[in-house]
Amino acid sequence: MSKTKQLPLCPELEPIPDEKKKADRCKKEKWKKAFQAYSDKMSQDGTTASGKCGYMDFCDYCTDNSYGRPCVRAFCEWARANNIQVDYDDFDFTKYI
């Protein structure tokens, strides 16, 4: 049996949920890439002996910078701990410093 998507009765009212989720994921991914690039640009002469750049308040949450996006992981952990809701449409990263 093949899987088919059920189209909404009024497509102009609301996008199909799968497309909306995909758009949200893409927006979040774009924000994370931009945030890591900003963090890399603003870091203080590389990293400290413990592997932290020391530029932002959430560097205390940085545990491992050997792979991926360490600043994004530290930021997400900090945001969860402080119940901060991130607006992925806003690229003004200075408010998180």
Side-chain angles (χ1 to χ4, degrees), residues 2 7 14-17 25 28 33 38-39 45-47 53 60-62 67 73 76 81-82 85-87 90 96:
S2 67
L7 297 175
E14 186 176 325
I16 298 172
R25 276 194 311 268
K28 188 175 180 179
K33 284 180 183 178
Y38 173 78
S39 298
D45 299 328
T47 59
C53 70
D60 294 337
Y61 290 87
C62 185
Y67 67 96
R73 287 193 310 275
C76 290
N82 293 305
Q85 202 68 1
V86 179
D87 179 15
D90 186 11
Y96 299 116

Side-chain angles (χ1 to χ4, degrees), residues 53-93:
C53 70
Y55 177 67
M56 300 187 193
D57 293 337
F58 52 83
C59 287
D60 294 337
Y61 290 87
C62 185
T63 56
D64 184 13
N65 70 349
S66 62
Y67 67 96
R69 300 182 196 140
C71 295
V72 172
R73 287 193 310 275
F75 174 79
C76 290
E77 185 69 30
W78 173 77
R80 277 192 294 274
N82 293 305
N83 293 326
I84 294 174
Q85 202 68 1
V86 179
D87 179 15
Y88 293 108
D89 290 323
D90 186 11
F91 286 82
D92 178 22
F93 304 123

Side-chain angles (χ1 to χ4, degrees), residues 13-53:
L13 294 179
E14 186 176 325
I16 298 172
D18 289 342
E19 291 175 5
K20 188 174 189 310
K21 286 180 185 178
K22 183 178 179 183
D24 289 343
R25 276 194 311 268
C26 289
K27 180 174 31 173
K28 188 175 180 179
E29 188 66 22
K30 183 178 178 183
W31 186 92
K32 286 181 175 183
K33 284 180 183 178
F35 183 77
Q36 185 63 49
Y38 173 78
S39 298
D40 291 343
K41 183 175 80 170
M42 301 305 284
S43 68
Q44 301 170 353
D45 299 328
T47 59
T48 64
S50 61
K52 301 174 184 177
C53 70

